[in-house]
Amino acid sequence: MKREGDHRPLDLLLRAPGALLGGSGTPPGTARVMDAAGPRQWIAGVSLMICSAGFACTPSVEEWLAETTAVFRRHSDAFERCPVDEPAYNRVIADWLRRRPQAAPLTRLSLGRAIDFPWISGYLAERALDHRSWDSRRGKVRHGDLNGLAAAILSEEKLLSRLAAPFCDTPYLPVAVSVEKVLVGPANGTLAKPGSGRRLVPHDAQIWLRIERRGTASGAPPTECR
């Protein structure tokens, strides 16, 4: 029976030998992680690779039973430079969702920094470059606030449908992107667009997907797949 504050794994895919974990059971405070290199377990924040592999970026999704949120990790080592392309994003999230109990609630997925997803960062910078609410000469918003502008751009249907692709055929649907800590920099540092020169654009932020169940008031019908 689940007790309040229980942080047992939502779905452990593989149990390590007893000597590694100190017994046949799974210790409290263990999170389930699935990534491209194979199943892992997290103990007190330390990543233990169950399978042996050479260095490679190993994007994964981490979540806890007591929470309704999850975190996309681009690599087990936060200090490694590991850009996540769109196919990797789709693959990792689709694999995670296939193994996740579909009745479990899910409200948010943290993606971390936009700059670690060049296709997301590039979309933000390109759309902002000539946006009517953005002054690219001064690097400031003309109307509203910077976080609001970045969230509105990243929640546009053109990008949101791409972010929602791996959620197809699941009960969940990303309905918006929320942001904070938006960073502004030279457009030519992010875009190869002719004429961007030294104009300034938002290009990085901490980003989250806001997720609802299909068929809810603001979500898409259960049969719809963006």
Side-chain angles (χ1 to χ4, degrees):
M1 180 179 297
K2 180 183 179 297
R3 297 185 298 274
E4 183 176 353
D6 193 348
H7 288 282
R8 288 174 297 174
L10 186 62
D11 176 25
L12 281 177
L13 302 173
L14 182 68
R15 293 186 181 276
L20 180 63
L21 295 178
S24 59
T26 304
T30 303
R32 181 278 310 261
V33 179
M34 166 55 68
D35 63 25
R40 293 185 289 157
Q41 290 183 332
W42 280 63
I43 303 174
V46 178
S47 174
L48 301 176
M49 295 302 296
I50 304 302
C51 62
S52 60
F55 170 77
C57 293
T58 53
S60 62
V61 174
E62 176 186 341
E63 67 176 325
W64 299 89
L65 179 63
E67 305 293 336
T68 62
T69 61
V71 179
F72 190 107
R73 306 288 188 192
R74 69 186 188 281
H75 187 52
S76 56
D77 184 346
F79 295 100
E80 292 288 351
R81 176 73 177 132
C82 283
V84 180
D85 62 18
E86 196 166 353
Y89 164 87
N90 287 334
R91 182 181 66 255
V92 171
I93 291 184
D95 286 349
W96 161 60
L97 290 172
R98 274 198 299 270
R99 292 164 173 79
R100 188 180 193 273
Q102 295 195 350
L106 180 63
T107 58
R108 289 209 312 173
L109 173 62
S110 170
L111 297 182
R113 296 182 61 180
I115 201 170
D116 292 322
F117 300 79
W119 50 286
I120 297 178
S121 178
Y123 184 92
L124 173 61
E126 184 171 10
R127 285 287 293 116
L129 188 62
D130 297 310
H131 198 284
R132 66 178 182 273
S133 295
W134 179 252
D135 185 342
S136 62
R137 303 296 178 185
R138 299 170 61 234
K140 294 184 178 181
V141 290
R142 292 192 175 100
H143 313 288
D145 66 275
L146 181 55
N147 283 354
L149 175 62
I153 289 175
L154 295 177
S155 296
E156 291 175 347
E157 175 65 22
K158 187 174 182 180
L159 178 65
L160 197 60
S161 62
R162 294 164 66 184
L163 292 168
F167 292 82
C168 186
D169 299 325
T170 76
Y172 313 107
L173 181 70
V175 295
V177 177
S178 59
V179 310
E180 66 175 27
K181 301 179 181 176
V182 179
L183 299 180
V184 174
N188 58 12
T190 305
L191 302 173
K193 188 175 181 179
S196 61
R198 296 193 177 185
R199 296 165 67 186
L200 300 171
V201 291
H203 65 100
D204 193 13
Q206 293 289 333
I207 55 177
W208 291 263
L209 301 185
R210 182 162 65 84
I211 298 170
E212 295 184 2
R213 294 190 73 86
R214 295 179 187 272
T216 60
S218 59
T223 55
E224 181 178 334
C225 188
R226 297 187 187 185

